[in-house]
């Protein structure tokens, strides 16, 4: 809050003047648990976590024996996804909250002769290609089952949209930006049909163009670059319109950024002991994840203010190494803050989900309104709670009897009194830590 807010209230013979000044509260680092997403076959030598949907559907791939794509949820665990018969190497690159998964099926682990595929209810099918195209990839899918990716390869690669399921259609994104740039690969699409990816500049082939394409208006724009850089790569867009990626000078080392149409591009601070990096996933709160580099690959979380190494947020002794190897990553974050990526678990390459721990303290001063279901409050101590305490002053107990803290998870002394009133005033605008 800015400035000072004052309110005088007279009721029941009590005059209360509340003054709430501008206060800054330093947030504690978020806490996470971490789980292994599992493995399909004992012969697999590794598992990679590649993305997570808004609602927490994680996807990725295994390599070694099965070479399959998979999806994962907290409630259902790992679900192997079948390979497309003529393409025995698959990767699931994106999913929506209805468990529609898209990805790429290839002839080799390295992606030779790829086809875009979709898994619906666990059944795999190729996505249609634009007329004249024979290879392609699918990288993401939104709630309307519109997928994005690319077709062709090398200097001829073009971004594409796949509309509908296997029986739908596909079209190249051929919009041209003001400077003549075009989109080469589409990496992400949100539920509003906004697509992000990378493009090429016809005037400077060495420059990466970070692209935003509005499929509703057929308009292609560029996100720009950080100071000292001339281009960017865009990897993901949230449903609220946040775009994340990396910005660099030509083909040089990148720095992670977050971009919105209103605020433009902001550099994401790097975690300690790293010198470069890229953000790869973002949610509608503007929390972003990515991987930074130095001597090792360091997955990170950015909460809009502070950047944390994911290793520092998980329990000590978990068996996970997310900071002392070159294989680790953080590639997606759900609306609820679930982070998905790859790390080393007990010496093996495994996909992980880092799941937020609910560390919110009790908020006994948030006693209004009565929600009608046995619960009280709306997540903040505010004027409603102040009035509730005043109106119940002298009553025996009740939801507004918040003082003292009895130290055993209970609060109050069975009377709403001056202690409870002062407790609300002291915690106005927040919940007590």
């Amino acid at each position: 809050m800015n400035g000072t807010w004052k309110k005088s209230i007279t009721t029941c013979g009590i005059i209360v003047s509340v003054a709430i000044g501008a206060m800054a509260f330093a947030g504690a680092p978020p806490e996470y648990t971490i789980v292994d997403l599992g493995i399909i076959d004992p012969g697999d030598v590794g598992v990679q976590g590649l993305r997570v949907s808004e609602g927490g559907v994680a996807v990725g791939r295994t390599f070694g024996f099965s070479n399959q794509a998979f999806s994962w949820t907290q409630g259902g665990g790992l679900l192997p996804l079948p390979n497309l018969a003529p393409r025995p190497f698959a990767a699931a690159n994106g999913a929506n909250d209805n468990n529609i998964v898209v990805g790429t099926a290839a002839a080799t682990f390295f992606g030779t002769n790829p086809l875009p595929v979709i898994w619906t209810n666990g059944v795999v099918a190729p996505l249609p290609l634009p007329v004249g195209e024979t290879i392609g990839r699918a990288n993401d899918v939104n709630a309307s089952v519109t997928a994005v990716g690319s077709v062709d390869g090398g200097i001829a690669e073009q971004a594409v949209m796949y509309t509908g399921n296997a029986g739908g259609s596909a079209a190249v994104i051929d919009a041209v930006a003001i400077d003549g740039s075009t989109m080469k690969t589409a990496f992400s699409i949100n539920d509003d049909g906004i697509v992000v990816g990378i493009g090429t500049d016809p005037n400077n082939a060495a420059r990466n163009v970070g692209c935003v394409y509005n499929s509703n208006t057929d308009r292609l724009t560029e996100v720009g670059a950080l100071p000292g850089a001339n281009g960017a790569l865009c990897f993901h867009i949230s449903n609220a319109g946040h775009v994340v990626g990396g910005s660099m000078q030509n083909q040089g080392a990148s720095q992670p950024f977050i971009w919105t149409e209103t605020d433009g591009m902001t550099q994401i601070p790097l975690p300690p002991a790293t010198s470069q990096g890229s953000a790869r996933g973002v949610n509608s709160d503007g929390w972003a994840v990515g991987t930074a580099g130095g001597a090792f690959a360091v997955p990170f979380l950015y909460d809009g203010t502070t950047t944390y190494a994911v290793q520092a947020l998980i329990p000590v002794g978990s068996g996970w190494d997310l900071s002392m190897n070159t294989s680790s990553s953080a590639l997606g974050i759900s609306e609820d803050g679930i982070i998905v990526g790859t790390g080393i678990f007990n010496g093996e390459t495994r996909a992980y989900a880092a799941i937020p721990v609910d560390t919110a303290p009790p908020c006994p001063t948030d006693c209004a309104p009565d929600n009608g279901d046995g619960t009280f409050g709306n997540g903040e101590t505010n004027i409603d709670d102040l009035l509730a305490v005043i109106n119940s002053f002298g009553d025996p107990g009740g939801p507004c009897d918040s003082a003292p803290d009895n130290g055993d998870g209970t609060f109050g002394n069975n009377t709403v009194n001056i202690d409870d009133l002062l407790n609300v005033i002291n915690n106005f605008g927040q919940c007590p830590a």
Side-chain angles (χ1 to χ4, degrees), residues 203-245:
N203 303 309
N204 181 358
R207 188 174 81 89
N208 295 310
V209 179
C211 295
V212 178
Y213 173 67
N214 187 325
S215 64
N216 306 294
T217 61
D218 194 35
R219 182 169 179 257
L220 185 70
T221 57
E222 185 178 344
V223 298
L226 291 172
N230 66 358
L233 304 175
C234 297
F235 291 114
H236 191 245
I237 182 170
S238 75
N239 275 337
H242 307 87
V243 177
V244 293

Side-chain angles (χ1 to χ4, degrees), residues 116 127-131 151 160-164 168-172:
L127 284 165
L129 291 166
V131 175
V151 293
V160 69
M161 295 182 68
Y162 308 95
T163 304
S169 60
V172 168

Side-chain angles (χ1 to χ4, degrees), residues 93 97 110 134 139-140 180 213 226 234 244 310 315 324 391 405:
N93 297 321
D97 291 339
F110 302 102
T134 58
N139 294 322
D140 196 16
Y213 173 67
L226 291 172
C234 297
V244 293
V310 176
M324 300 294 289
N391 291 331
D405 180 348

Side-chain angles (χ1 to χ4, degrees), residues 150-355:
S150 67
V151 293
D152 227 322
I155 61 173
E157 187 174 7
Q158 294 177 284
V160 69
M161 295 182 68
Y162 308 95
T163 304
N165 281 297
S169 60
V172 168
I173 299 174
D174 56 7
V176 180
I178 292 175
D179 66 353
S181 297
T182 55
M183 186 179 281
K184 180 177 180 179
T185 300
F187 283 119
S188 179
I189 181 171
N190 70 9
D191 289 345
D192 291 328
I194 310 302
V195 182
V196 299
I198 61 173
T200 55
D201 181 350
N203 303 309
N204 181 358
R207 188 174 81 89
N208 295 310
V209 179
C211 295
V212 178
Y213 173 67
N214 187 325
S215 64
N216 306 294
T217 61
D218 194 35
R219 182 169 179 257
L220 185 70
T221 57
E222 185 178 344
V223 298
L226 291 172
N230 66 358
L233 304 175
C234 297
F235 291 114
H236 191 245
I237 182 170
S238 75
N239 275 337
H242 307 87
V243 177
V244 293
S247 180
M248 70 291 293
Q249 178 70 23
N250 290 333
Q251 303 301 308
S254 68
Q255 298 295 313
F257 72 83
I258 184 167
W259 176 95
T260 64
E261 188 172 7
T262 54
D263 297 333
M265 184 180 288
T266 301
Q267 184 166 346
I268 294 174
L270 290 167
T274 61
S275 58
Q276 60 185 4
S278 180
R280 300 300 297 266
V282 63
N283 66 18
S284 294
D285 290 326
W287 283 40
V289 296
T291 307
F296 303 106
V298 179
F300 66 79
L301 167 68
Y302 172 67
D303 66 1
T305 302
T306 305
T307 301
Y308 305 95
V310 176
Q311 182 77 66
L313 305 179
I314 63 176
V316 175
S318 65
W320 285 92
D321 169 18
L322 302 179
S323 62
M324 300 294 289
N325 63 81
T326 58
S327 300
S328 292
S329 65
L331 297 182
I333 182 169
S334 73
E335 298 291 70
D336 290 337
I338 296 174
I339 302 169
V340 167
T342 304
I344 304 299
F345 182 47
N346 294 329
E348 302 290 337
T349 302
R350 292 289 186 267
Y352 69 83
I355 302 169

